[in-house]
Amino acid sequence: MLLRHCLMALRATTSKAPICTAINPQRLTSISEKNLLQRFYSSNPPAIGVVDYDVVKKLPSEPQKLLIDVREPDELKETGQIPASINIPLGVVSQELAASDKLFKSKYGREKPKPDTEIIFHCKIGRRSLKAAEAAAALGFKNVKNYEGSWLDWAEREGLPK
């Protein structure tokens, strides 16, 4: 069903002709390009906030917020990690955020975030963390943020190896 809707949206963007779709086998409905695009793109995704070093530096004293490092475990071994962060690699971040509360707590030693929990993502420079923030927003988390400078900014300000 999703594939059918995606194909309809794609055809609508490349064609000026109305698209016919079978809502009921006995009734065909013509959907104009504008109407179709409004149906599929009308909901605005939540904005991804941006945080800086000063916000991240305060996180150890703010346990209600969650800092997630989306780098691979080998990267953390080379550089270390930001205090209070938990490591959930980008490749599994959606799966882990969708896991049960009990499983999340047993793996990460933290309560699974609620939809309104402030979640800050970081990586090495901020690109992967932005993708993770977008994935979390797609899962329904409404207060996701990206530490744009990420590890490189943190290491520079803390005098750590990059």
Side-chain angles (χ1 to χ4, degrees), residues 23-87:
I23 292 175
N24 180 326
Q26 285 123 10
R27 192 178 108 189
L28 291 176
T29 304
S30 177
I31 301 173
S32 71
E33 175 182 346
K34 182 180 176 187
N35 188 10
L36 181 66
L37 292 175
Q38 284 176 340
R39 276 177 63 190
F40 290 106
Y41 302 109
S42 63
S43 62
N44 295 331
I48 307 299
V50 175
V51 299
D52 61 12
Y53 170 82
D54 295 326
V55 171
V56 174
K57 181 76 174 170
K58 295 175 190 170
L59 289 177
S61 64
E62 298 177 335
Q64 74 280 9
K65 298 178 182 179
L66 181 60
L67 179 62
I68 299 177
D69 187 334
V70 298
R71 296 178 293 161
E72 294 298 319
D74 290 344
E75 292 177 82
L76 275 64
K77 289 176 188 170
E78 293 173 16
T79 62
Q81 66 187 93
I82 297 174
S85 68
I86 62 172
N87 178 231

Side-chain angles (χ1 to χ4, degrees), residues 99-156:
S100 71
D101 294 351
K102 186 177 178 181
L103 180 60
F104 190 93
K105 183 160 184 160
S106 71
K107 284 178 101 169
Y108 302 107
R110 297 271 319 245
E111 296 294 327
K112 180 181 167 187
K114 305 291 182 223
D116 61 341
T117 299
E118 185 173 335
I119 308 172
I120 300 169
F121 293 92
H122 82 90
C123 57
K124 185 174 181 178
I125 62 173
R127 288 187 188 146
R128 286 177 285 176
S129 54
L130 178 59
K131 289 182 186 221
E134 290 169 345
L139 288 171
F141 293 95
K142 296 169 181 49
N143 195 3
V144 294
K145 298 181 179 168
N146 182 31
Y147 178 17
E148 277 190 336
S150 283
W151 177 257
L152 292 180
D153 181 57
W154 177 267
E156 182 178 320

